[in-house]
Amino acid sequence: MRKSIATVCLSGSLTEKLTATARAGFDGVEIFENDLLASPLTPEEIRARCADLGLTIDLYQPMRDVEGVPEEEFVRTLRRAEHKFDVMRRLGADTLLVCSSVSPWAVDDDALAAGQLARLADLAQEFGIRVAYEALAWGRHVSTYDHAWRIVETAGHPALGVCLDSFHILSRGSEPKDLEGIADIPGEKIFFLQLADAPLMAMDVLQWSRHYRCFPGQGGLDVTSFVRHVVNAGYRGPLSLEVFNDVFRQADAGSTAVDALRSLIALEESAGLSPLPAPVVPSGVAFAELATADPQPVTELLAGLGFRRTGRHTGKPVELWEQGDARILLNHGTATRGDGTALTALGLEIPDPRAAAHRAESLLAPVLPRRRSGQDVPLDSVAAPDGTELFFCATRHPEHPDWTGDFKAEVHPPQAGSADGNITGVDHVALTQPWHQFDEAVLFHLTVLGLRPHERVDLADPYGLFRSRALSGGTDGAAAPRLVLNLAPSPAAETGTRAQHIAFTTGDIVTAARRIRAAGVELLRIPSNYYEDLDARHAFAPGELDTYRELGILYDRDDRGGEFRHCYTATVGRVFFEIVQRTGGYGGYGAANAPVRLAAQRR
């Protein structure tokens, strides 16, 4: 289906919004009246600009407080409408959005409302324009789509239809049965369809609407079922986004527009309207790549954790460090982001790397050019919204190129110490997102990689709110790979909360922590007050809590008896490491301990 977006979704001037919309790949645009009024371009120039960009103007909006008003007020409304229709004719727009009235003058009289909307449609028809009537969720007398349809049906005018808006319908807590009435509306009378999602929040619906809408797939509303009902009713117009969001209004219009179009492509797939290449869900983390201009601090830290350098790249200044199934690439030939060691790339274990890359391209993931010699193993890679490179790998797979073939092996003697205290693999990787890309990053990883979301968690940071959302590849929401997307309190947050981190698994965290400390690695110091609170909340074996206090091990237990023990290294540049031990099916990430950890990192 054709895809459109309202200019109110994007930041910038009208010209900037139109350019971003076209570059993202949209077919059309809704012109929000405030954007037109603030533009120095005439309607004719805007029309020409849209034509040059390959955009149609699918809707002009909004017109408010039209129906159910006293006659003298309605006469003034018709005069206002005539001006709008003339502007629309100059723009080349043929559909006007009319919102249900919130005027204190409006009366609860469906016959009056139908008659006045019919008179408005008469005038619109003279200009070759249609009127799409929409029920606002906070409308004074008309607040539901079925009520709006009854009024339109009573009016019986060919130039009058309805606009169905997913937010206004679903925000009222609509059950699946509440959407069945859409089938009673003839498809040709659904003049327009507007789409938005939103996080589930207990607040005034008007404030919810004006500040917290997001693109489909980024919130908690069932936009997919809503679209199915509308299309099954016979609607064949564009899928159009209308999102009011404080973050989007400040973010780069170009990346927001791409995020918006990706949401519609994914929505078409979920609603069964347009197939995409099937998701190829990663099975684990092949490697994490750290870039640094000064490798010594991080190599000392890796060595202290028990990693060994097992290979050097045959053509680049990149080292391979391994322990168990955990692999770190240390790249000291690539510039970092200006503040030391940084996590710049992830290799994801993929059963079919080429198919994963094909899906990523279909969902607008930017394919990254890779500088390589003729001997280098070819790897498909794309960029995540925060710039992290994602490589699709099949490590030591007989049917796919093995990326480890680029490294000349180094032989080391067997590792000493207890195997129970060794690192065995990567548990999860936590990526701190730019403040304006959190929702975009969640949607990207869900749709491109086919991961499953956990509930969003808001945590108390000493200097603000720290938002976190985990994504995983398993049907139980806890299987590898696990990615955790974090949003730091502010763009200027300090290193402790801006850092990315890699969590490694071990079968015995006490042995691991003792071995790591004996190797000279400093673990994060946790206040005694934390352990006194633990003692009050949980029963421990004699001496167990004292051991955790000594080593800086944090503890969490879920309501099913699953246990989580974890500790942290100091931060090097923008990276720190976590050691974790999961028992009893624990599927979380120790969120209850995060405020203590964040405060300790601040110190």
Side-chain angles (χ1 to χ4, degrees):
M1 299 177 72
R2 294 180 65 256
K3 299 173 183 65
S4 185
I5 186 171
T7 56
V8 74
C9 299
L10 306 173
S11 67
S13 67
L14 180 57
T15 301
E16 291 170 327
K17 295 180 181 195
L18 295 177
T19 301
T21 297
R23 286 179 176 170
F26 280 93
D27 303 298
V29 66
E30 299 178 33
I31 299 289
F32 194 68
E33 186 170 62
N34 287 357
D35 288 318
L36 173 74
L37 299 181
S39 175
L41 301 180
T42 65
E44 291 82 3
E45 289 171 330
I46 294 170
R47 178 177 185 169
R49 177 64 177 158
C50 287
D52 289 343
L53 293 170
L55 296 172
T56 56
I57 300 178
D58 297 326
L59 186 77
Y60 185 73
Q61 64 131 324
M63 187 169 182
R64 306 183 187 277
D65 298 333
V66 169
E67 82 288 4
V69 296
E71 178 61 22
E72 62 273 17
E73 183 64 27
F74 185 69
V75 169
R76 286 192 289 270
T77 296
L78 288 179
R79 185 171 66 252
R80 178 163 51 102
E82 186 171 10
H83 170 76
K84 288 184 187 292
F85 295 149
D86 180 62
V87 169
M88 289 176 64
R89 182 165 57 185
R90 295 164 63 195
L91 278 172
D94 66 359
T95 304
L96 172 70
L97 177 69
V98 170
C99 304
S100 61
S101 181
V102 297
S103 169
W105 301 106
V107 296
D108 189 7
D109 185 335
D110 285 4
L112 176 62
Q116 290 179 337
L117 286 172
R119 290 165 63 188
L120 179 70
D122 271 335
L123 180 60
Q125 197 168 39
E126 295 177 13
F127 288 83
I129 289 170
R130 307 183 308 168
V131 174
Y133 181 53
E134 172 187 67
L136 296 177
W138 53 88
R140 183 171 177 82
H141 301 297
V142 179
S143 58
T144 63
Y145 77 90
D146 49 345
H147 192 177
W149 164 239
R150 290 197 302 272
I151 292 173
V152 168
E153 187 177 30
T154 300
H157 198 288
L160 179 65
V162 294
C163 172
L164 299 180
D165 183 302
S166 64
F167 179 84
H168 290 299
I169 294 171
L170 300 176
S171 65
R172 296 178 61 85
S174 300
E175 299 292 333
K177 61 181 177 59
D178 298 326
L179 300 178
E180 294 174 0
I182 293 174
D184 298 331
I185 307 174
E188 66 274 12
K189 297 300 286 184
I190 303 175
F191 282 3
F192 210 72
L193 175 64
Q194 291 181 320
L195 301 171
D197 204 340
L200 301 180
M201 306 175 77
M203 67 183 307
D204 173 74
V205 69
L206 178 58
Q207 295 303 311
W208 189 19
S209 171
R210 293 284 169 83
H211 301 282
Y212 296 101
R213 293 198 206 188
C214 53
F215 298 131
Q218 295 177 340
L221 303 181
D222 189 1
V223 183
T224 297
S225 293
F226 170 78
V227 168
R228 285 199 195 105
H229 278 86
V230 177
V231 172
N232 289 341
Y235 176 74
R236 295 298 178 264
L239 301 177
S240 191
L241 296 165
E242 187 198 40
V243 171
F244 299 84
N245 185 290
D246 293 345
V247 174
F248 295 171
R249 288 187 180 103
Q250 302 173 68
D252 174 71
S255 61
T256 303
V258 172
D259 182 34
L261 188 60
R262 180 182 295 120
S263 77
L264 287 183
I265 294 172
L267 178 62
E268 282 189 311
E269 178 188 39
S270 64
L273 304 179
S274 180
L276 290 176
V280 186
V281 181
S283 59
V285 176
F287 64 81
E289 181 171 338
L290 306 180
T292 182
D294 180 12
Q296 183 175 349
V298 70
T299 57
E300 290 177 352
L301 181 54
L302 288 172
L305 291 175
F307 281 80
R308 294 175 296 168
R309 190 178 64 211
T310 59
R312 293 178 184 268
H313 197 281
T314 55
K316 301 173 184 176
V318 180
E319 301 171 352
L320 172 60
W321 290 70
E322 294 186 85
Q323 185 177 181
D325 289 328
R327 305 177 192 90
I328 299 294
L329 299 187
L330 190 58
N331 186 335
H332 39 92
T334 302
T336 61
R337 297 168 185 170
D339 44 3
T341 301
L343 195 160
T344 56
L346 285 178
L348 299 174
E349 294 286 0
I350 299 280
D352 188 343
R354 190 65 199 103
H358 189 198
R359 177 175 176 83
E361 292 176 44
S362 300
L363 284 159
L364 311 180
V367 178
L368 295 173
R370 184 172 178 236
R371 292 185 295 111
R372 63 185 184 90
S373 67
Q375 291 76 38
D376 287 354
V377 172
L379 287 179
D380 293 300
S381 62
V382 298
D386 68 347
T388 301
E389 298 181 30
L390 302 179
F391 288 88
F392 301 132
C393 307
T395 306
R396 302 186 176 97
H397 194 288
E399 299 177 8
H400 300 287
D402 183 2
W403 63 274
T404 61
D406 287 342
F407 292 83
K408 182 179 179 180
E410 295 185 359
V411 179
H412 293 269
Q415 184 171 343
S418 169
D420 289 338
N422 288 342
I423 286 168
T424 57
V426 174
D427 182 85
H428 64 273
V429 178
L431 304 172
T432 301
Q433 302 299 305
W435 67 272
H436 59 285
Q437 289 181 321
F438 184 79
D439 288 335
E440 178 184 358
V442 171
L443 181 66
F444 176 93
H445 289 89
L446 291 179
T447 58
V448 171
L449 301 180
L451 300 178
R452 296 171 180 268
H454 293 232
E455 290 298 317
R456 193 181 83 178
V457 178
D458 290 335
L459 307 169
D461 179 88
Y463 296 91
L465 191 66
F466 193 91
R467 180 175 300 164
S468 183
R469 191 159 194 187
L471 315 171
S472 61
T475 55
D476 63 354
R482 300 179 179 95
L483 297 181
V484 179
L485 304 179
N486 295 325
L487 179 64
S490 73
E494 295 178 22
T495 300
T497 52
R498 289 176 60 244
Q500 323 281 36
H501 86 262
I502 304 165
F504 300 119
T505 57
T506 184
D508 183 346
I509 194 168
V510 171
T511 301
R514 290 196 187 283
R515 179 174 56 81
I516 290 167
R517 289 199 359 171
V521 174
E522 181 183 2
L523 296 176
L524 197 64
R525 290 190 292 269
I526 305 301
S528 293
N529 293 334
Y530 167 79
Y531 295 101
E532 292 180 10
D533 181 67
L534 269 187
D535 194 22
R537 292 189 291 116
H538 301 295
F540 293 96
E544 182 179 1
L545 195 57
D546 291 334
T547 299
Y548 296 163
R549 188 195 312 262
E550 172 199 352
L551 298 173
I553 294 172
L554 297 103
Y555 177 88
D556 191 32
R557 183 185 302 170
D558 64 26
D559 55 8
R560 295 173 297 178
E563 295 178 298
F564 189 64
R565 298 167 176 87
H566 55 138
C567 58
Y568 297 88
T569 71
T571 302
V572 176
R574 289 190 59 214
V575 176
F576 62 93
F577 300 107
E578 179 184 9
I579 315 299
V580 310
Q581 180 184 358
R582 297 176 183 270
T583 58
Y586 183 96
Y589 299 84
N593 296 327
V596 175
R597 186 262 296 179
L598 290 167
Q601 286 181 312
R602 291 283 187 174
R603 287 193 300 275

